[in-house]
Amino acid sequence: MALDLRPLFADAGDLPARTPSPMAAAMQGSAILAIAGEVRALRAAGEAVANFTIGDFDPSLFPIPEALVAGIKAKLDAGETNYPPAVGMPELRSAIRHYYKERLGLDYPEGTVQVGSGARPPIYSAFRSILAPGDVVVHPVPTWNVRYYVHLNQAEGIAVVTKPENGFMPTLDDLLPHLPRARVLVLNSPLNPSGTVIAEDLLRPVCEAIIEENRRREAAGERPLILLYDQVYQQLVFDGYAHTTPVHLVPEMAKYTILVDAISKAWAATGLRLGWAVAPPWIIGRMKPLVGHMGAWAARAEQLATADLLAAPESTDAFMNDFRGTLQSRLRRLRDGLLAMKADGLPVDCLDAQGAIYLSARFDLAGRRLVDRTVETDEDVRSVLLHGAGVAVVPFTAFGYPDRTGWVRFSVGSVSDADVDAALSRIRSLLA
Ligand SMILES: Cc1ncc(COP(=O)(O)O)c(C=O)c1O
């Protein structure tokens, strides 16, 4: 008979008071996952809900490349089931360098790639390699999970509030006052949550300021300022916009830049867990044992199958064109529907869909009486859209943006055109 251990855990107690680590006690879970739970509960109760909350893909709408599935199976059949090297399989590291040379025009030397299980371990280990407790991380808001990594490293985060007219990207003026204190600056383009792309004329002066700051530090014998540039959505940039990198704009930035990337978004392969960082060898050298001790490798068979595809980038072009085209048309369908409401005088606005899988929209509902409440906060906006229109979105407050702006994120990774149309018509009814 098995021992019944449940009674031992009947009194879970107050976890924060009991946990030995203040860092872990103060760690927050993902705000988005909490919203997802509410959506599930509504659906279970039979309500029609269009779920625009998740930064992930419904595999029935957006499957991964067939060649990747076949490649992984073939590698498993060939017995590729052992530990990979902590830094990544040599075939994959070399294929990533080849891909960057072909597609980004960046010819990195050997020793500049660290592979991990998705983009997160490279991000975490990069921060861990560079930051001492109390170091300053400057990051624009709205931002994806950067705030959590700041906390994990007991660093000091400086959130720079960006403006919609700049596509929620920071300008040099926004950043300049903070650079002298910063150890790491984080930029992300295309940006989660806004679906916008950083313009060259915004990024270039920031890079030049980093170079200037680092010349000063080098002369003074101080540690450099590092740019962590998250480009996990780099292939998902839509017509009229272009992806750029700091290193392409200002080559000397290669000495101070960590490029973060993954197959998670580019190939709709979030669950496969394969990502990487491309960075100066002195940073990679420190990341390697961290990833190794975490065991945060990507599976060996996946690494080898991904290497085959990246080594011949044209092999996934057809997939990518189709995937990007569908995302673009779905996001622009949503944008057009919201802008049509705006033209009819309804209190909604949105930015252009420039890249990634997201659209930024603003609902100007403050003071309105809707569903069960008078709308005040952005959480109220989210709640009335969900309960009044069956439309689940994430307010920008979940990404560290100030409250009461009305900005929310729509993600189209798990919705069809029909879902978009139905959601638009329910939003129209609610706002009217
Ligand atoms: C901007 C950004 N960076 C990094 C990640 C993490 O990617 P991965 O799933 O490969 O760890 C995400 C995931 O949502 C993201 O949106």
Short mmCIF file of all heavy atoms in Angstrom, two decimals, residues 55 117-121 123 144 188 192 230 232-233 262 264-265 270 273-274 358, ligand 1:
data_model
loop_
_atom_site.label_atom_id
_atom_site.label_comp_id
_atom_site.label_asym_id
_atom_site.label_seq_id
_atom_site.Cartn_x
_atom_site.Cartn_y
_atom_site.Cartn_z
N GLY A 55 0.41 34.44 -26.10
CA GLY A 55 1.53 34.65 -27.03
C GLY A 55 2.01 33.32 -27.56
O GLY A 55 3.21 33.04 -27.57
N SER A 117 17.29 25.92 -24.08
CA SER A 117 15.94 25.40 -24.29
C SER A 117 14.98 26.58 -24.42
O SER A 117 14.32 26.97 -23.46
CB SER A 117 15.54 24.47 -23.15
OG SER A 117 15.70 25.14 -21.92
N GLY A 118 14.91 27.15 -25.61
CA GLY A 118 14.14 28.36 -25.85
C GLY A 118 15.02 29.59 -25.62
O GLY A 118 16.20 29.47 -25.28
N ALA A 119 14.42 30.76 -25.80
CA ALA A 119 15.18 32.01 -25.62
C ALA A 119 15.42 32.29 -24.14
O ALA A 119 16.34 33.02 -23.78
CB ALA A 119 14.42 33.17 -26.27
N ARG A 120 14.58 31.74 -23.27
CA ARG A 120 14.65 32.13 -21.86
C ARG A 120 15.96 31.78 -21.17
O ARG A 120 16.55 32.65 -20.51
CB ARG A 120 13.47 31.54 -21.08
CG ARG A 120 12.21 32.33 -21.29
CD ARG A 120 10.98 31.51 -20.89
NE ARG A 120 10.02 31.55 -21.96
CZ ARG A 120 8.79 32.02 -21.86
NH1 ARG A 120 8.35 32.44 -20.71
NH2 ARG A 120 7.99 32.03 -22.88
N PRO A 121 16.46 30.52 -21.27
CA PRO A 121 17.74 30.25 -20.60
C PRO A 121 18.90 31.12 -21.10
O PRO A 121 19.69 31.61 -20.28
CB PRO A 121 17.97 28.76 -20.85
CG PRO A 121 16.61 28.21 -21.10
CD PRO A 121 15.85 29.31 -21.81
N ILE A 123 18.58 34.15 -22.14
CA ILE A 123 18.33 35.47 -21.55
C ILE A 123 18.73 35.45 -20.07
O ILE A 123 19.47 36.32 -19.60
CB ILE A 123 16.84 35.87 -21.69
CG1 ILE A 123 16.47 36.09 -23.16
CG2 ILE A 123 16.55 37.15 -20.88
CD1 ILE A 123 14.99 36.35 -23.40
N TRP A 144 7.99 42.63 -22.43
CA TRP A 144 7.76 41.23 -22.10
C TRP A 144 8.43 40.97 -20.74
O TRP A 144 8.75 41.91 -20.05
CB TRP A 144 8.31 40.37 -23.26
CG TRP A 144 8.23 38.92 -23.03
CD1 TRP A 144 7.12 38.13 -23.05
CD2 TRP A 144 9.33 38.06 -22.72
NE1 TRP A 144 7.46 36.85 -22.78
CE2 TRP A 144 8.81 36.76 -22.58
CE3 TRP A 144 10.70 38.25 -22.55
CZ2 TRP A 144 9.61 35.66 -22.27
CZ3 TRP A 144 11.49 37.16 -22.25
CH2 TRP A 144 10.95 35.87 -22.12
N ASN A 188 13.74 45.15 -27.60
CA ASN A 188 13.07 44.01 -28.23
C ASN A 188 12.33 44.52 -29.48
O ASN A 188 11.55 45.44 -29.38
CB ASN A 188 12.08 43.42 -27.20
CG ASN A 188 11.06 42.46 -27.78
OD1 ASN A 188 9.91 42.44 -27.36
ND2 ASN A 188 11.46 41.67 -28.73
N ASN A 192 7.04 42.53 -28.31
CA ASN A 192 5.95 41.96 -27.53
C ASN A 192 5.79 42.89 -26.33
O ASN A 192 6.75 43.02 -25.57
CB ASN A 192 6.31 40.53 -27.09
CG ASN A 192 5.23 39.89 -26.25
OD1 ASN A 192 4.17 40.45 -26.07
ND2 ASN A 192 5.54 38.71 -25.72
N ASP A 230 16.57 41.52 -28.11
CA ASP A 230 15.71 40.35 -28.23
C ASP A 230 14.99 40.40 -29.57
O ASP A 230 14.13 41.26 -29.79
CB ASP A 230 14.72 40.37 -27.05
CG ASP A 230 13.76 39.20 -27.06
OD1 ASP A 230 13.54 38.61 -28.13
OD2 ASP A 230 13.21 38.90 -25.98
N VAL A 232 13.39 37.62 -31.12
CA VAL A 232 12.76 36.31 -31.35
C VAL A 232 11.65 36.36 -32.41
O VAL A 232 11.25 35.32 -32.92
CB VAL A 232 12.21 35.67 -30.05
CG1 VAL A 232 13.31 35.36 -29.07
CG2 VAL A 232 11.12 36.50 -29.42
N TYR A 233 11.17 37.55 -32.73
CA TYR A 233 10.15 37.66 -33.79
C TYR A 233 10.73 38.20 -35.09
O TYR A 233 9.99 38.70 -35.94
CB TYR A 233 9.01 38.59 -33.34
CG TYR A 233 8.26 38.13 -32.12
CD1 TYR A 233 8.64 38.54 -30.84
CD2 TYR A 233 7.16 37.28 -32.23
CE1 TYR A 233 7.94 38.13 -29.72
CE2 TYR A 233 6.46 36.87 -31.11
CZ TYR A 233 6.86 37.29 -29.86
OH TYR A 233 6.16 36.87 -28.75
N ALA A 262 15.27 32.51 -31.28
CA ALA A 262 14.69 31.20 -31.00
C ALA A 262 13.90 30.73 -32.21
O ALA A 262 13.57 31.53 -33.09
CB ALA A 262 13.75 31.29 -29.79
N SER A 264 11.04 29.48 -31.45
CA SER A 264 9.72 29.44 -30.80
C SER A 264 8.67 30.20 -31.59
O SER A 264 7.55 29.72 -31.76
CB SER A 264 9.83 30.04 -29.40
OG SER A 264 10.85 29.42 -28.67
N LYS A 265 9.00 31.40 -32.02
CA LYS A 265 8.01 32.22 -32.72
C LYS A 265 8.19 32.10 -34.23
O LYS A 265 7.22 32.01 -34.97
CB LYS A 265 8.14 33.68 -32.29
CG LYS A 265 8.20 33.88 -30.78
CD LYS A 265 6.89 33.56 -30.08
CE LYS A 265 7.08 33.57 -28.58
NZ LYS A 265 5.87 33.75 -27.82
N THR A 270 6.86 26.90 -30.18
CA THR A 270 7.07 27.31 -28.79
C THR A 270 7.35 26.13 -27.86
O THR A 270 8.10 26.27 -26.90
CB THR A 270 5.83 28.07 -28.26
OG1 THR A 270 4.69 27.27 -28.54
CG2 THR A 270 5.68 29.42 -28.93
N ARG A 273 11.15 24.17 -27.51
CA ARG A 273 12.16 24.71 -26.61
C ARG A 273 13.56 24.70 -27.24
O ARG A 273 14.42 23.90 -26.87
CB ARG A 273 12.19 23.95 -25.25
CG ARG A 273 10.86 23.81 -24.53
CD ARG A 273 10.06 25.08 -24.47
NE ARG A 273 10.76 26.17 -23.83
CZ ARG A 273 10.67 27.44 -24.22
NH1 ARG A 273 9.92 27.80 -25.24
NH2 ARG A 273 11.33 28.37 -23.59
N LEU A 274 13.75 25.61 -28.17
CA LEU A 274 15.08 25.79 -28.73
C LEU A 274 15.31 27.27 -29.03
O LEU A 274 14.56 27.88 -29.79
CB LEU A 274 15.25 24.94 -30.00
CG LEU A 274 16.70 24.78 -30.48
CD1 LEU A 274 16.88 23.50 -31.28
CD2 LEU A 274 17.20 25.96 -31.29
N TYR A 358 1.07 40.40 -32.71
CA TYR A 358 0.31 41.27 -31.81
C TYR A 358 -0.18 42.54 -32.49
O TYR A 358 0.42 43.03 -33.43
CB TYR A 358 1.19 41.66 -30.62
CG TYR A 358 1.85 40.48 -29.96
CD1 TYR A 358 3.24 40.31 -30.00
CD2 TYR A 358 1.09 39.51 -29.31
CE1 TYR A 358 3.85 39.22 -29.41
CE2 TYR A 358 1.69 38.41 -28.72
CZ TYR A 358 3.07 38.27 -28.77
OH TYR A 358 3.67 37.19 -28.20
C1 LIG B 1 9.96 39.09 -26.70
C2 LIG B 1 10.11 37.70 -26.24
N1 LIG B 1 11.33 37.24 -25.91
C3 LIG B 1 11.53 35.99 -25.49
C4 LIG B 1 10.48 35.11 -25.37
C5 LIG B 1 10.74 33.73 -24.86
O1 LIG B 1 10.89 32.83 -25.89
P1 LIG B 1 11.05 31.26 -25.61
O2 LIG B 1 9.67 30.70 -25.59
O3 LIG B 1 11.86 30.79 -26.78
O4 LIG B 1 11.74 31.07 -24.33
C6 LIG B 1 9.18 35.53 -25.68
C7 LIG B 1 8.05 34.63 -25.49
O5 LIG B 1 6.91 34.99 -25.45
C8 LIG B 1 9.00 36.86 -26.14
O6 LIG B 1 7.79 37.32 -26.47
#
